[in-house]
Amino acid sequence: MIGSLMHSSLLRRGDGPAVTGADGRSLDGATLHTAAARLAAALRAQGAGPGHTVAIALPQNVEQVVALAAVVYSGADFALIDLDAPPARAARFLDVLRPRCLVLDTDAPGGHQEELARTAAAVVPVRTAYGPGAGDIPFEPSFTPGGYCVQTSGTTGEPKVLRVDGAALENRLRWGQGAYPLGPDDVLLSTSRPSFDFYVWEVTAALCFGPRLVLTTAFEAASAETLLGRCEDEGVTAVHFFPRMLDEFSERAASSGGCPGLRRVFSGGAPLSGATLAKARAALPNATVLNQYGPAECCIDVSWLVCGEEHEGFSTVPVGRPVDRTTLTVVDSALRPVPTGVVGEILIGGIAARTTRVLAGEVPGRFVPTDVTAGEVAYRSGDFGRFDEDGLLHWVGRQDNEFKIHGGRVDLAEVTAAVRGVGGVTDCHVYPTRAADGGIALGAVVESREVTAAACRSRLAAVLPLYMVPTVLRVVERLPRTAKLEIDVPRLTEECGLRPLPPRQPPAPAGAAGTPAARGAGWAAVRPVSLPEERLIGMRRIPGRPPHLVVANHLVIRGALDLPRLTTALRELVARHSILRTTYAELDGRVVAVVHEGPADDVVEVRPLNGVLDDRAAAEHVQRALEDEEKRFSDPDRQSMMRAVVYRRAPELFSLLLIFDHIAVDERSKAMLQEELALLYQGDGHKLGPAVPYDPARIRGDFPPAREVPVLLAALDPLPPRVLPSPDPVADPAAFRAGSHEFDLLGDRRHEIDALVRRLRCTRFELLLASFFRAMKQFADEDDILVVAPADTRGTVEDFETVGFFQNLVPLRSRTPADADPWRLVDDCKQAVRAALGHRDHPVALLTEEFRDPAVTAARRNPIWQIVFVPTAMQVDANWALEGLEVADVPLRLTETGLELMAEVSDTAAGLKAAFRYARGAMEAHDAERLAVLWTRSLEWALDEVAATAAG
């Protein structure tokens, strides 16, 4: 029985650690048992026991684990309320459950606690477990195996609520302990959230079989870097990941020397690709990877597979064989078994299927008696699958409107019902689409004359978990209808340019008849500009600024370059992306975008540079050419936002100058263009899907006045002092000519910095920013420092797949004294970063306009606009590739800077490198060198201070 298993396991542990919270607090086995027994006695006093349900509404901390053990001790079913879910969803869960008791932390009101406490259930404060006299108390756990209740997405328009029997849970736990035994020498890291049923296994397996349980916050569980740190710090031996996180975790582990203590890695919640498996097995050589499959209706998992090298070649890894007392059969529509290799519906039989009850959201015909299961109830999963010759089950797909996003089940019926429930919405079409990472995302077209997309999304976030809120949402006045007055989905798809699954067929290779590459370049269309475009064009109108700002690369190419192929590939690249064929003009006093049908004739030019074999001499020539080429971007007849000049230096030696207008390209966009250029050059353009057009209507948005946003008001009013001299942008044209200083930032102490980040519980970006703040405070002899930093503002699936500029600058301010300790400086920085990310879409141009000294007329003199801190973890320019050729990027010098100081830090596997780009009218070379020393010393100081404290 589960209660007796937990009871004996915790008592055997004694003063050995049983659970560690994300906040570092731990409970040993004896203390956890005593607290759970005391709380269980309080629950029993309120009538809780076998046949009843107890809801637990606590954050993921040690108290939640105590409460779960207490409910199991009492013999009741437990239900974990996800406090990150919208209140309406949690309230619906409680309405269906009608629990006998509700366990709350009544001393810490907030979140949903006060609202949940209004339920008819008896509220039992979790502090009961720790009250006076909470010593050993006589207690016998229930021998009735309590089950659990879980809420998942449903097909009826309401969330489905399930009750999984305790006998099924006990079977699953005992089977797992036999298949992959866990013991007191194991440490199990919990990465799941309470709304996912795998969290039930993480907690109950740890309590029943002896491994120490380590909890994480939702913030930590979303970061592969943080999870790797927790694994190393806590000595984790077992962990569960969704495949997407396993992929990211493996990359981090490979670059940091692996995670040698990790022995078991569980993957589930979504299909596991062979490529991800191969990456995981290479990065985690001491770990066994187990792939698992199972719907929530059948107690966590129904199949498993120990993954080996032979499974790496599958596009999707098999989900394996059934767990004990479970049957898996692939059947046809009449529920008859199909032959090996034939695809059919996966039918699940056994203890989990016959003991699960659907309390709400029932769909008739899913739990059915069948001949296959000798008349016992089986569960029609709705999943397609097939068995191979080795008896392994392969998951193939879904037959209905259900799928998973980040491991969470989504049913289109529930999302559709939620959208239709928004006031002012008359109808909608919800559809799955492809996310940038290859996974699934949600889109919706809403029919309304009253509701904006932003308002609709905001209201949906109040009733749906965030992973179920459509990321692609547009509003139309009227949806197209068929003669039967149903939504005309094909017409809607065409009119709105939707990209539903399955994906459309790739277009014909560029250059074929009828494609943009084959038509003339004389045609153009006019459209409104997006906010990012408007912001960048506004910057260019600042007095003294050139009317352009470019992103440029000098690529040295060695080998037998096929010039016609390269020229064609570059032109096809421009033809694919509308933003690369867009220029800007004034029409009736406003700026508009002019989208040209094809690339300009001069988008690519080949020039001789014969005999220049020395790369340094070639680099100087290209640097001078860059300044001339930049002027072409001011030409009113320009038709392309890209310009390529190929210099032929020797038969197998070339220099390629690639220039993009910064309105068209940011770092992510450039990374996409690199991949596409490589495919186009090797003649594989047909492998590219259709390019997602840059859609200004999707990117535009309405923003409240900054002075009505409390976070912005607190950060910017009053304005900080200007800490660098601001040169006159008109009187001295050379004032913003760029100077630069590059240096290593403690590259030899990378591992110490990693350890410091984990000890301070911050990100590496927050640590680097905090140390830069301290350096600036010392440099300027001023404790109040404000910088702006770029933040990605992509908000929809299409944005992530679109070439274009999606960066905004967010203000980050520190007013902590420079002599404060590292913990305070980093905490101050963490708060600033997290507050800023909540308003990353609010245009910095509006902030500088609203928050300014009336006496300051030049935008550059606003302190918001003085210093930019630019981090990067992407080695974008190391990834240029052309088939059969050696391609190397040669850095180009920045000719001018838009602010007084730009601090760049590159945080990659190659180490920490920093650079200052500064306006010569604001800083001298010796100033930049001094600031570099101060920054280095600030980082050293943080390392030494924390190390000394730990040693003491």
Side-chain angles (χ1 to χ4, degrees):
M1 300 301 173
I2 301 172
S4 58
L5 278 175
M6 285 188 187
H7 181 271
S8 58
S9 173
L10 292 173
L11 289 181
R12 279 197 308 272
R13 245 181 282 203
D15 60 2
V19 58
T20 300
D23 57 2
R25 290 190 303 129
S26 293
L27 289 181
D28 59 46
T31 303
L32 199 160
H33 160 72
T34 302
R38 186 175 183 84
L39 185 57
L43 294 172
R44 283 182 174 174
Q46 293 291 339
H52 298 114
T53 302
V54 175
I56 302 170
L58 295 170
Q60 269 175 285
N61 53 26
V62 294
E63 279 73 31
Q64 187 195 60
V65 176
V66 167
L68 188 147
V71 178
V72 172
Y73 276 7
S74 75
D77 298 339
F78 63 85
L80 296 168
I81 306 298
D82 188 351
L83 297 183
D84 291 329
R89 191 174 180 85
R92 163 70 177 166
F93 194 14
L94 289 174
D95 285 344
V96 173
L97 293 177
R98 299 188 179 278
R100 175 62 63 108
C101 298
L102 175 64
V103 182
L104 292 174
D105 184 358
T106 53
D107 293 332
H112 309 338
Q113 305 261 349
E114 294 178 355
E115 184 172 341
L116 295 176
R118 300 187 189 120
T119 180
V123 173
V124 178
V126 73
R127 66 169 178 267
T128 307
Y130 304 101
D136 291 333
I137 57 175
F139 185 82
E140 284 294 330
S142 171
F143 287 92
T144 300
Y148 66 91
C149 298
V150 66
Q151 186 180 38
T152 186
S153 188
T155 58
T156 63
E158 291 284 353
K160 183 184 290 187
V161 179
L162 308 168
R163 191 262 176 185
V164 179
D165 190 76
L169 177 58
E170 183 176 351
N171 175 74
R172 172 63 180 77
L173 289 170
R174 291 188 184 277
W175 165 81
Q177 186 64 3
Y180 36 80
L182 299 171
D185 61 336
D186 281 298
V187 179
L188 175 61
L189 182 69
S190 169
T191 61
S192 303
R193 314 278 39 95
S195 53
F196 295 114
D197 56 354
F198 202 83
Y199 184 64
V200 171
W201 177 83
E202 290 174 334
V203 178
T204 54
L207 293 177
C208 288
F209 303 119
R212 178 165 66 93
L213 176 66
V214 178
L215 299 173
T216 59
T217 64
F219 181 78
E220 289 175 319
S223 166
E225 179 183 348
T226 303
L227 290 178
L228 179 60
R230 291 301 300 273
C231 285
E232 293 171 346
D233 290 347
E234 303 286 355
V236 171
T237 63
V239 64
H240 171 268
F241 293 123
F242 297 122
R244 178 183 174 189
M245 178 55 73
L246 176 58
D247 198 76
E248 295 180 17
F249 184 90
S250 301
E251 285 186 7
R252 287 285 183 178
S255 64
S256 67
C259 198
L262 205 53
R263 298 198 292 263
R264 291 189 183 90
V265 174
F266 302 93
S267 176
L272 174 66
S273 72
T276 294
L277 172 62
K279 187 184 296 185
R281 295 185 72 249
L284 308 168
N286 297 332
T288 298
V289 180
L290 298 105
N291 192 29
Q292 298 178 301
Y293 157 78
E297 287 83 353
C298 294
C299 193
I300 307 169
D301 300 307
V302 295
S303 75
W304 72 304
L305 176 74
V306 178
C307 300
E309 183 180 2
E310 67 274 19
H311 303 121
E312 294 177 4
F314 289 97
S315 58
T316 301
V317 176
V319 294
R321 306 180 193 280
V323 307
D324 284 354
R325 301 176 67 188
T326 301
T327 62
L328 298 174
T329 314
V330 178
V331 297
D332 60 19
S333 59
L335 303 185
R336 296 170 299 196
V338 300
T340 296
V342 175
V343 173
E345 185 179 0
I346 299 173
L347 186 72
I348 302 169
I351 184 171
R354 69 171 178 262
T355 58
T356 296
R357 284 193 301 123
V358 181
L359 306 180
E362 175 71 65
V363 176
R366 296 300 286 270
F367 287 92
V368 293
T370 70
D371 293 338
V372 172
T373 54
E376 281 196 350
V377 169
Y379 178 65
R380 297 187 62 175
S381 67
D383 289 324
F384 282 135
R386 64 177 176 82
F387 280 106
D388 63 20
E389 297 294 338
D390 296 323
L392 297 180
L393 179 64
H394 293 247
W395 184 90
V396 176
R398 289 289 301 176
Q399 68 174 12
D400 54 21
N401 285 331
E402 285 188 3
F403 48 88
K404 289 193 174 184
I405 296 178
H406 303 318
R409 183 194 293 183
V410 176
D411 193 288
L412 294 183
E414 182 181 351
V415 181
T416 299
V419 178
R420 287 174 176 162
V422 173
V425 171
T426 51
D427 206 349
C428 67
H429 171 62
V430 179
Y431 61 97
T433 185
R434 184 68 64 190
D437 62 1
I440 296 175
L442 276 183
V445 183
V446 175
E447 183 179 82
S448 177
R449 295 185 179 182
E450 303 173 22
V451 180
T452 65
C456 185
R457 190 177 285 111
S458 175
R459 294 175 196 174
L460 289 173
V463 295
L464 294 173
L466 285 180
Y467 68 88
M468 291 175 65
V469 176
T471 54
V472 185
L473 195 151
R474 64 190 68 188
V475 177
V476 297
E477 287 193 3
R478 187 178 298 277
L479 291 168
R481 303 277 173 177
T482 66
K484 296 181 179 180
L485 298 182
E486 297 170 339
I487 297 175
D488 189 338
V489 175
R491 184 176 155 200
L492 176 65
T493 301
E494 181 179 356
E495 289 180 357
C496 291
L498 307 186
R499 303 180 67 245
L501 295 179
R504 297 172 181 170
Q505 293 296 315
T515 65
R519 296 197 295 262
W523 174 87
V526 174
R527 65 161 172 79
V529 293
S530 68
L531 269 173
E533 291 170 310
E534 200 168 57
R535 187 162 59 240
L536 289 175
I537 292 167
M539 287 170 56
R540 297 175 184 192
R541 293 184 170 186
I542 295 173
R545 286 300 308 273
H548 54 264
L549 185 64
V550 300
V551 176
N553 286 89
H554 172 197
L555 306 179
V556 174
I557 304 172
R558 289 180 167 83
L561 175 65
D562 187 330
L563 270 176
R565 279 174 60 193
L566 178 61
T567 300
T568 300
L570 288 166
R571 290 183 61 82
E572 289 175 344
L573 194 68
V574 176
R576 275 181 55 80
H577 299 286
S578 61
I579 192 66
L580 296 182
R581 296 178 275 107
T582 301
T583 56
Y584 301 91
E586 280 204 14
L587 182 64
D588 298 328
R590 59 190 176 92
V591 176
V592 295
V594 182
V595 185
H596 302 269
E597 184 184 30
D601 294 335
D602 64 347
V603 71
V604 185
E605 185 177 348
V606 179
R607 296 178 184 171
L609 194 60
N610 298 327
V612 182
L613 304 181
D614 180 69
D615 283 343
R616 183 175 299 178
E620 286 301 318
H621 181 91
V622 172
Q623 183 73 46
R624 291 192 297 272
L626 170 62
E627 298 190 28
D628 292 333
E629 289 296 328
E630 285 177 330
K631 298 173 184 175
R632 287 178 174 257
F633 286 83
S634 304
D635 188 337
D637 295 328
R638 176 171 62 109
Q639 289 181 210
S640 301
M641 301 285 265
M642 186 193 86
R643 165 85 170 150
V645 182
V646 185
Y647 292 93
R648 194 197 308 261
R649 295 164 54 190
E652 294 195 353
L653 180 62
F654 303 83
S655 279
L656 169 60
L657 174 59
L658 263 182
I659 314 169
F660 299 95
D661 193 305
H662 199 18
I663 290 181
V665 173
D666 63 2
E667 288 294 282
R668 178 176 175 83
S669 297
K670 188 159 71 168
M672 293 171 62
L673 294 174
Q674 287 172 333
E675 296 174 7
E676 292 188 7
L677 180 61
L679 282 171
L680 291 169
Y681 178 76
Q682 67 190 39
D684 287 333
H686 60 281
K687 295 181 179 179
L688 294 170
V692 181
Y694 186 87
D695 182 0
R698 191 176 66 250
I699 302 164
R700 295 191 67 86
D702 296 323
F703 299 91
R707 291 187 175 276
E708 295 179 6
V709 181
V711 170
L712 296 175
L713 193 62
L716 298 173
D717 192 5
L719 282 173
R722 284 186 290 146
V723 295
L724 294 173
S726 299
D728 189 329
V730 178
D732 184 2
F736 283 89
R737 295 294 289 180
S740 66
H741 178 65
E742 300 178 3
F743 56 101
D744 286 333
L745 195 59
L746 297 186
D748 57 341
R749 301 182 69 177
R750 176 69 176 264
H751 293 298
E752 292 179 68
I753 292 172
D754 289 343
L756 178 61
V757 163
R758 293 195 292 272
R759 190 164 294 157
L760 294 175
R761 295 192 180 277
C762 64
T763 64
R764 195 151 40 229
F765 165 68
E766 289 164 345
L767 174 64
L768 293 171
L769 178 58
S771 62
F772 176 72
F773 269 137
R774 184 173 188 266
M776 278 302 307
K777 293 169 192 282
Q778 294 172 329
F779 177 83
D781 194 23
E782 170 61 57
D783 285 333
D784 190 354
I785 301 293
L786 183 142
V787 304
V788 288
D792 197 326
T793 62
R794 291 170 172 84
T796 69
V797 174
E798 282 88 351
D799 293 342
F800 279 92
E801 297 179 343
T802 304
V803 171
F805 186 93
F806 289 85
Q807 297 285 332
N808 187 28
L809 295 173
V810 295
L812 304 169
R813 188 174 187 176
S814 173
R815 283 171 270 199
T816 301
D819 58 1
D821 60 57
W823 290 270
R824 187 176 169 195
L825 283 168
V826 167
D827 188 61
D828 179 42
C829 188
K830 284 163 64 174
Q831 292 182 34
V833 169
R834 288 162 197 184
L837 291 179
H839 299 281
R840 66 177 70 190
D841 286 332
H842 204 112
V844 71
L846 298 183
L847 299 182
T848 54
E849 178 62 27
E850 282 195 62
F851 293 94
R852 65 183 178 90
D853 183 341
V856 175
T857 56
R860 281 173 168 167
R861 297 189 173 204
N862 191 312
I864 299 176
W865 206 256
Q866 277 214 315
I867 306 169
V868 61
F869 185 85
V870 183
T872 178
M874 296 174 65
Q875 292 181 289
V876 175
D877 290 325
N879 298 327
W880 294 101
L882 295 171
E883 183 183 33
L885 302 168
E886 178 186 334
V887 182
D889 179 72
V890 178
L892 290 160
R893 294 192 303 273
L894 188 69
T895 56
E896 73 134 28
T897 180
L899 305 96
E900 280 83 344
L901 173 64
M902 178 163 57
E904 299 175 339
V905 58
S906 172
D907 181 8
T908 68
L912 287 170
K913 299 184 182 298
F916 292 139
R917 318 294 181 192
Y918 56 88
R920 294 186 182 276
M923 297 182 70
E924 301 287 348
H926 64 83
D927 293 322
E929 292 168 5
R930 175 171 166 256
L931 183 55
V933 171
L934 288 172
W935 192 2
T936 304
R937 287 178 179 170
S938 289
L939 202 50
E940 288 175 334
W941 166 80
L943 289 168
D944 296 341
E945 282 286 306
V946 175
T949 302

